[in-house]
Amino acid sequence: MLVRFWGVRGSLPAPPQPSQIRSKISAILERLTPADIESPASRERFLSSLPPWLFGTVGGNTPCVTVDLDTDNSPQCLIFDAGSGIRELGNAVSRENPRPTQYRLFFSHVHWDHIQGFPFFGPAYDPSVTIDFYSPHNNIENSLQGQMTSPYFPVHMDSMGCKKNFHFMDDRVILDGVTVSSKKMNHPGDSYSFMVDDGKRRFIYATDTELSTEDFLKNEENTRFFKDADLIVIDCQYTLGEAIEKYNWGHSPFSLAVDFAANWGIKHMVLFHHDPAYNDRKLYNILQSARWYTERMNISGIKLTLATEGLEIRL
Ligand SMILES: [Zn+2]
Ligand SMILES: [Zn+2]
């Protein structure tokens, strides 16, 4: 399966500010020497030697992650959450030929940063497209309609021409031999994690959760869901200090997420749902701190990656 990231920011879209762009350009020019621009090859070498927080950005869109499944039948794309990143997904599929006509959209919960992109998802306006919606929350249709109602939005959801099927999701759903399971997490109003199991690999999408001792318990439910997963995308919104200040806000510090992944023998952890107030430099510092933490705590066998827009991970 192929996991792709279209929106990685939590709470609110956070596009880079002009002053941040200016200071990136200024820092790059400071590092530049005449030899670096002698030829196209030397220029490319120079650019690829720059740290990622200078030559690029984590991205400002709110959560949207897709999983492309390598099934025997037609290709399948599962979408997790419709934050503002789903607009980029819609733009990308509009360039495909032929365009996909079926989408399966899973909602962790209906906080605004997880639904706000849906009115801008181009394929939803195409009558040849079918979207199946899944969530353990039973109010998805109402919530999506509610944000597309006057005076908040000029277009009603009924004007989106696609065929829409809403499914209440219990513990699990099996789609063409692939199992997607859900698990309630600790978050105001409840958020649900999803685990995708294609029989070969297991992927977990665990956004918007304030990890607690319950999540570390080696009971049957936790073990079945988390143990030995190949990849987890997990809420790492805060530094430890900020998580203490924002206790009960429903999000986790990166160090606790590392402890959690180590507790369950998870092989690869992606830090996700970045705080909108954190700039690129701070987010890469957090990744560095998380790696430092695994070394100091003698935690081995976990790969750590920072979620960025455009990131793709093949399992
Ligand atoms: Zn969120
Ligand atoms: Zn939330």
Side-chain angles (χ1 to χ4, degrees):
M1 59 178 94
L2 177 68
V3 181
R4 296 186 286 166
F5 295 79
W6 306 92
V8 299
R9 195 63 72 159
S11 305
L12 194 73
Q17 292 164 342
S19 60
Q20 291 171 333
I21 304 287
R22 280 198 294 271
S23 63
K24 276 177 198 263
I25 293 170
S26 168
I28 289 169
L29 291 178
E30 256 175 43
R31 291 161 189 240
L32 192 68
T33 67
D36 294 323
I37 47 171
E38 264 175 0
S39 67
S42 64
R43 187 189 62 210
E44 290 308 311
R45 258 197 313 278
F46 169 73
L47 290 174
S48 60
S49 73
L50 291 169
W53 62 85
L54 280 183
F55 188 50
T57 179
V58 165
N61 280 306
T62 52
C64 181
V65 172
T66 53
V67 175
D68 297 310
L69 295 165
D70 320 304
T71 48
D72 295 339
N73 304 328
S74 56
Q76 278 193 56
C77 176
L78 310 181
I79 307 170
F80 293 94
D81 285 336
S84 64
I86 199 171
R87 178 175 165 272
E88 308 299 334
L89 169 65
N91 292 342
V93 294
S94 74
R95 294 189 289 271
E96 286 180 20
N97 191 10
R99 290 183 200 163
T101 54
Q102 173 153 33
Y103 298 90
R104 286 162 168 160
L105 180 42
F106 293 80
F107 285 96
S108 60
H109 62 319
V110 294
H111 281 167
W112 199 27
D113 52 326
H114 298 259
I115 64 170
Q116 64 193 169
F118 186 67
F120 302 92
F121 183 47
Y125 292 87
D126 180 346
S128 69
V129 163
T130 300
I131 304 180
D132 285 273
F133 301 80
Y134 297 89
S135 183
H137 279 283
N138 57 12
N139 57 355
I140 290 296
E141 186 172 6
N142 285 347
S143 302
L144 293 177
Q145 275 174 351
Q147 70 167 354
M148 298 183 73
T149 304
S150 179
Y152 305 110
F153 200 73
V155 180
H156 195 268
M157 197 164 79
D158 292 345
S159 308
M160 297 175 114
C162 72
K163 186 167 187 310
K164 306 172 201 71
N165 302 317
F166 289 89
H167 307 271
F168 172 73
M169 184 179 167
D170 237 338
D171 284 356
R172 70 186 57 192
V173 58
I174 298 174
L175 305 165
D176 298 336
V178 173
T179 306
V180 184
S181 310
S182 69
K183 189 176 184 310
K184 188 157 84 171
M185 306 299 286
N186 176 30
H187 191 68
D190 297 337
S191 171
Y192 289 83
S193 288
F194 297 105
M195 188 255 286
V196 181
D197 184 348
D198 69 356
K200 287 179 267 181
R201 297 275 185 269
R202 284 169 56 231
F203 162 71
I204 297 172
Y205 176 74
T207 190
D208 292 60
T209 179
E210 186 162 356
L211 292 166
S212 71
T213 49
E214 303 276 302
D215 299 304
F216 288 75
L217 290 179
K218 302 269 170 118
N219 58 29
E220 197 192 324
E221 188 194 359
N222 283 346
T223 302
R224 197 175 52 235
F225 201 88
F226 296 118
K227 192 170 184 312
D228 298 332
D230 295 284
L231 175 68
I232 189 166
V233 172
I234 188 162
D235 184 330
C236 286
Q237 180 148 347
Y238 300 136
T239 59
L240 183 57
E242 195 154 7
I244 292 166
E245 280 172 32
K246 295 181 176 172
Y247 176 68
N248 248 347
W249 285 33
H251 301 287
S252 297
F254 68 86
S255 50
L256 196 56
V258 170
D259 288 335
F260 174 80
N263 183 69
W264 289 111
I266 294 170
K267 299 173 190 78
H268 189 170
M269 178 185 124
V270 177
L271 291 77
F272 187 71
H273 203 272
H274 309 310
D275 194 278
Y278 293 178
N279 64 22
D280 289 319
R281 182 64 190 265
K282 178 155 182 167
L283 289 169
Y284 278 96
N285 279 347
I286 284 175
L287 175 65
Q288 210 171 12
S289 302
R291 287 179 175 156
W292 177 90
Y293 182 72
T294 56
E295 282 165 27
R296 302 300 294 211
M297 298 300 286
N298 249 339
I299 297 169
S300 59
I302 299 184
K303 183 177 179 187
L304 299 177
T305 301
L306 190 71
T308 57
E309 277 180 36
L311 174 69
E312 296 187 354
I313 298 175
R314 184 165 282 285
L315 287 179

